[in-house]
Amino acid sequence: MNAFLLGSDQRIVRAARVSYAKDEVLQVERDIKLIRYLLENRHSSPFEHVVIAFESSEEFWLELLRKVKNPTFQAYYDGKFIWLNLRNVINALDYIPQEVMDLLKERLPATYSVIKGEEVKGYSTDKAYIQKKVETSSGFIALVDKLELESPMDYYTFVVECPIFVARQWFRHRFGSYNEVSRRYVSYEPSFYIPAYLRKQAKHNKQASLDQPVEEPWNSQFLERIGFFTRELNNLYLQMLEKEVAKEIARGILPQLMKTRFYWTVPRISLDNFISLRSHESAQKEIREFATAIKDMVGYKKWDKTMRL
């Protein structure tokens, strides 16, 4: 049986620690404790950034769906491979083929040992923090890892930094897994996206803009006021923290121009859908730049065209 894995022990930790904006930190002993904590306390989303594919039959796939008595269980079959993220593997542990368990033991030694209740004797790390990175006018996108088997379910992990209003558009693409930085936890000063100029509203499309600035002096005056109020709100936010206002309340005053960062693990069919929809001329310029960057990094294979809706 051929089996393949996207991710590592560290990938789980990175997806969890992005909440604290400490996903670049490597502390093996603490990382292992974190994996154990996540598992014991049912914090499951970081496990979704590890993906397993193994060769199997449609009959075994259907049998797996029947046997796992959990309505949230998800497994996908592309005609050759069954695809599951690690969260679903854990929920189906009693029915996973031994060859796949052997792969988990080899590639996720710490996580496997924690799942099995055994002494941890190893820890796997990512080969690199990122493989490719593209800067856009409002942030960046970086390819962390990919698993390509010439399937609509090929998987990719990205780390993205963008304004909140872009992230909220992004999260509408729900066939994938997200873990995002949280200002409930982080203490560093936020950063903001201020556009080079303010685009005009399109006259015949309520959702679109024209790639040309509004007339002067309004463009310059509005940008100056945006900068002023952004600085004032940021200063107020920092003052509130100094006076021990809870971060989860204080963050409410920060504008949508504030940047956020998140991990996104997504199958190719959903990735192609993102590229197709978000590179369209009607999409907002900022997210259109991200869609173009993704296409340049990993290509566009048109698997979204197989979906009716």
Side-chain angles (χ1 to χ4, degrees):
M1 173 192 291
N2 291 320
F4 304 88
L5 186 143
L6 171 82
S8 65
D9 290 322
Q10 187 187 17
R11 187 73 50 78
I12 298 165
V13 172
R14 288 176 63 181
R17 287 219 175 107
V18 73
S19 298
Y20 298 83
K22 293 183 178 180
D23 47 304
E24 294 186 64
V25 176
L26 175 63
Q27 297 175 318
V28 174
E29 289 187 9
R30 294 187 66 180
D31 290 0
I32 293 170
K33 289 180 180 178
L34 177 56
I35 291 171
R36 182 175 286 111
Y37 174 86
L38 293 171
L39 189 65
E40 291 176 350
N41 291 275
R42 303 169 68 87
H43 295 302
S44 55
S45 62
F47 295 99
E48 295 176 5
H49 297 272
V50 171
V51 176
I52 295 92
F54 60 93
E55 243 179 321
S56 191
S57 65
E58 183 176 359
E59 290 72 20
F60 181 83
W61 171 58
L62 293 172
E63 183 182 358
L64 191 62
L65 292 174
R66 284 194 294 267
K67 284 183 175 179
V68 180
K69 304 301 182 183
N70 184 331
T72 68
F73 176 72
Q74 294 174 318
Y76 302 97
Y77 183 62
D78 64 6
K80 183 176 182 181
F81 295 98
I82 293 177
W83 298 77
L84 308 92
N85 63 41
L86 186 56
R87 176 185 186 181
N88 286 297
V89 169
I90 293 170
N91 280 320
L93 211 57
D94 295 337
Y95 311 110
I96 299 299
Q98 186 58 48
E99 293 92 336
V100 177
M101 297 303 296
D102 292 341
L103 178 66
L104 295 179
K105 186 175 183 178
E106 175 190 350
R107 296 281 301 278
L108 304 172
T111 305
Y112 176 89
S113 297
V114 170
I115 291 170
K116 302 293 283 185
E118 300 172 355
E119 180 184 356
V120 176
K121 296 182 179 179
Y123 181 82
S124 62
T125 59
D126 288 347
K127 294 179 180 179
Y129 177 66
I130 57 174
Q131 295 184 17
K132 300 177 183 177
K133 182 178 180 180
V134 177
E135 300 281 351
T136 75
S137 66
S138 64
F140 72 79
I141 181 163
L143 175 65
V144 177
D145 201 359
K146 62 182 179 178
L147 174 57
E148 294 181 316
L149 301 175
E150 299 183 0
S151 164
M153 293 303 296
D154 289 349
Y155 262 86
Y156 303 80
T157 296
F158 299 92
V159 58
V160 182
E161 184 176 283
C162 65
I164 284 180
F165 66 83
V166 174
R168 296 304 165 256
Q169 295 173 8
W170 207 306
F171 289 6
R172 296 300 298 163
H173 296 264
R174 296 183 294 277
F175 190 6
S177 298
Y178 296 92
N179 278 83
E180 183 182 12
V181 69
S182 173
R183 296 220 69 86
R184 291 184 67 197
Y185 304 131
V186 300
S187 56
Y188 70 85
E189 191 168 345
S191 59
F192 302 88
Y193 165 59
I194 307 297
Y197 56 90
L198 300 176
R199 299 189 298 276
K200 283 187 176 182
Q201 174 67 42
K203 294 184 181 297
H204 303 295
N205 188 332
K206 294 180 180 180
Q207 298 184 70
S209 64
L210 302 176
D211 197 10
Q212 55 185 265
V214 300
E215 286 78 8
E216 295 292 356
W218 303 113
N219 182 64
S220 297
Q221 289 182 8
F222 289 152
L223 281 173
E224 183 178 351
R225 293 180 69 185
I226 288 170
F228 170 78
F229 286 116
T230 298
R231 290 189 296 271
E232 286 296 299
L233 286 171
N234 188 42
N235 289 335
L236 176 58
Y237 169 75
L238 296 175
Q239 290 169 14
M240 292 168 73
L241 296 187
E242 287 179 3
K243 299 303 180 183
E244 300 184 348
V245 174
K247 294 177 185 177
E248 60 190 45
I249 296 296
R251 64 180 175 169
I253 65 165
L254 295 170
Q256 290 192 46
L257 291 169
M258 182 181 70
K259 292 185 179 182
T260 187
R261 183 151 52 91
F262 59 89
Y263 279 74
W264 184 40
T265 296
V266 56
R268 167 56 77 172
I269 191 168
S270 183
L271 186 64
D272 282 348
N273 184 58
F274 180 94
I275 293 170
S276 181
L277 293 176
R278 297 303 180 175
S279 61
H280 191 271
E281 61 181 10
S282 64
Q284 186 165 336
K285 178 177 183 289
E286 286 80 6
I287 201 166
R288 202 162 64 236
E289 293 175 348
F290 282 105
T292 300
I294 293 170
K295 186 176 180 180
D296 290 343
M297 278 193 281
V298 299
Y300 170 59
K301 299 187 177 180
K302 300 183 180 181
W303 279 109
D304 60 308
K305 301 303 182 184
T306 64
M307 300 187 295
R308 290 184 176 177
L309 186 63

